[in-house]
């Protein structure tokens, strides 16, 4: 029987590419979006035309009711979820002193609470089945911190802590929890960066380039595969050598 993966934030960028890769790998793929229905629907149709099994599910990952109903829809269509990719996320550059309480709470709600809710939603079945894979997307900024990204860096560091602790708790239940912490990847999330900033980042990267979504998607797919059977609680960072 085909395995089922839920990819959050699959409407664009890294999540979009990851969903495509899983579909090509024979998974049933549930693509979550929050606002970008059009692009997600287009990808689901494209995958279905190519003979893959894909569905779209709307949910704001920060809202428990919506997450519960999303997981329920996936279970009804494809059965229990074997792989959860917690990819949905937001970022914003700001001076620390300018961050409002609302901005602080919202980013933690999406980037951290969203993962907590999605994990709690899929875990009862994974624990019952004594198998499952959870892959959480952090960032190099969660490992090193970035100026003018204190809030984002804090949420992404929390993702690493959650991954490691959860891996310890769930290892005895046969569930693997890992983290992917990409370097700078060419997506909408970096659309604020101008040409000069991109050139600077390339110069600081030993491989001399910005990453592509597929570079991250391949690492996620590997961690979900049988080849990664002895890996848990790890942070894998596709970053072109930006952080060594
Ligand atoms: P992106 O192109 O901006 O896409 C963000 C995705 O997250 C979209 O699909 C968006 O869905 C979804 N999303 C945002 N808020 C959501 C919510 N409340 N509920 C459900 N979905 C929500 O970003 P990306 O660059 O692909 O980033 C994907 C992940 O990689 C994020 O966790 C990000 O922090 C991480 N990351 C990115 C980079 C980078 O350089 N790009 C580097 C390191 C880590 P809608 O469009 O439907 O709202």
């Amino acid at each position: 029987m085909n395995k089922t993966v839920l990819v959050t934030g699959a409407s664009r960028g890294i999540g979009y590419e990851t969903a495509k890769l899983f579909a090509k790998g024979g998974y049933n793929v549930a693509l979550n979006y929050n606002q970008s229905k059009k692009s997600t629907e287009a990808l689901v149709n494209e995958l279905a035309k190519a003979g893959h099994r894909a569905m779209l599910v709307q949910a704001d990952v920060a809202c428990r009711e919506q997450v519960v109903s999303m997981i329920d829809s996936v279970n009804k269509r494809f059965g229990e979820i074997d792989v959860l990719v917690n990819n949905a996320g937001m970022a914003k550059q700001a001076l620390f002193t300018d961050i409002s309480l609302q901005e602080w709470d919202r980013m933690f709600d999406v980037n951290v609470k969203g993962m907590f809710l999605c994990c709690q939603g899929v875990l009862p079945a994974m624990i019952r089945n004594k198998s499952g894979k959870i892959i959480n997307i952090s960032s190099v900024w969660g490992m090193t911190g970035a100026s003018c990204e204190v809030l984002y860096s804090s949420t992404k560091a929390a993702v690493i802590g959650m991954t490691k602790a959860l891996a310890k708790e769930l290892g005895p239940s046969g569930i693997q929890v890992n983290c992917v912490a990409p370097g700078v990847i060419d997506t909408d999330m970096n659309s604020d960066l101008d040409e000069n900033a991109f050139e600077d980042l390339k110069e600081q990267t030993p491989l001399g380039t910005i990453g592509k979504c597929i570079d991250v998607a391949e690492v996620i797919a590997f961690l979900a595969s049988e080849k990664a059977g002895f890996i848990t609680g790890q942070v894998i960072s596709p970053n072109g050598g930006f952080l060594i």
Side-chain angles (χ1 to χ4, degrees), residues 11 13 28 62 86 91 104 111 113 118 129 135 150 152 212 223:
S11 65
N28 303 319
N86 274 318
W104 183 272
N111 291 4
K113 190 163 85 180
C118 291
N129 297 333
I135 297 140
V150 174
Y152 181 73
K212 298 185 291 302
L223 287 171

Side-chain angles (χ1 to χ4, degrees), residues 71-83:
I71 290 168
D72 196 41
S73 315
V74 180
N75 291 157
K76 282 194 177 114
R77 170 88 187 269
F78 290 142
E80 283 164 355
I81 293 166
D82 303 286
V83 179

Side-chain angles (χ1 to χ4, degrees), residues 32-95:
N32 156 258
Y33 70 96
N34 184 31
Q35 292 179 324
S36 310
K37 184 174 182 184
K38 230 174 160 183
S39 58
T40 323
E41 207 163 39
L43 177 58
V44 166
N45 290 339
E46 181 191 316
L47 293 173
K49 261 192 203 153
H52 303 301
R53 286 163 303 277
M55 68 182 286
L56 81 163
V57 269
Q58 195 280 331
D60 176 346
V61 293
C63 169
R64 189 190 281 278
E65 290 71 29
Q66 294 182 31
V67 168
V68 167
S69 134
M70 165 172 74
I71 290 168
D72 196 41
S73 315
V74 180
N75 291 157
K76 282 194 177 114
R77 170 88 187 269
F78 290 142
E80 283 164 355
I81 293 166
D82 303 286
V83 179
L84 167 66
V85 181
N86 274 318
N87 166 77
M90 60 182 290
K92 187 173 186 255
Q93 294 198 348
L95 279 176

Side-chain angles (χ1 to χ4, degrees), residues 65-223:
E65 290 71 29
Q66 294 182 31
V67 168
V68 167
S69 134
M70 165 172 74
I71 290 168
D72 196 41
S73 315
V74 180
N75 291 157
K76 282 194 177 114
R77 170 88 187 269
F78 290 142
E80 283 164 355
I81 293 166
D82 303 286
V83 179
L84 167 66
V85 181
N86 274 318
N87 166 77
M90 60 182 290
K92 187 173 186 255
Q93 294 198 348
L95 279 176
F96 180 70
T97 43
D98 288 344
I99 299 167
S100 70
L101 186 57
Q102 285 85 348
E103 285 169 333
W104 183 272
D105 286 345
R106 179 62 184 162
M107 203 180 294
F108 263 91
D109 280 355
V110 174
N111 291 4
V112 185
K113 190 163 85 180
M115 293 196 185
F116 158 71
L117 293 174
C118 291
C119 287
Q120 280 206 334
V122 300
L123 275 172
M126 287 186 177
I127 290 168
R128 198 180 332 108
N129 297 333
K130 278 201 154 280
S131 103
K133 316 239 187 198
I134 295 175
I135 297 140
N136 297 326
I137 311 306
S138 175
S139 161
V140 283
W141 302 142
M143 300 165 82
T144 65
S147 168
C148 295
E149 301 226 38
V150 174
L151 172 50
Y152 181 73
S153 303
S154 305
T155 65
K156 292 300 179 179
V159 169
I160 292 173
M162 182 163 71
T163 301
K164 291 184 178 205
L166 203 51
K168 286 186 178 166
E169 188 166 316
L170 295 173
S173 300
I175 298 161
Q176 292 161 256
V177 189
N178 285 295
C179 187
V180 176
V184 183
I185 309 297
D186 188 11
T187 71
D188 293 349
M189 192 166 269
N190 292 315
S191 55
D192 284 354
L193 297 178
D194 61 21
E195 196 69 14
N196 286 342
F198 264 116
E199 283 312 312
D200 282 352
L201 287 163
K202 277 187 195 168
E203 259 174 44
Q204 290 171 52
T205 306
L207 288 182
T209 185
I210 296 299
K212 298 185 291 302
C213 292
I214 190 69
D215 297 325
V216 182
E218 291 282 7
V219 178
I220 296 170
F222 165 72
L223 287 171

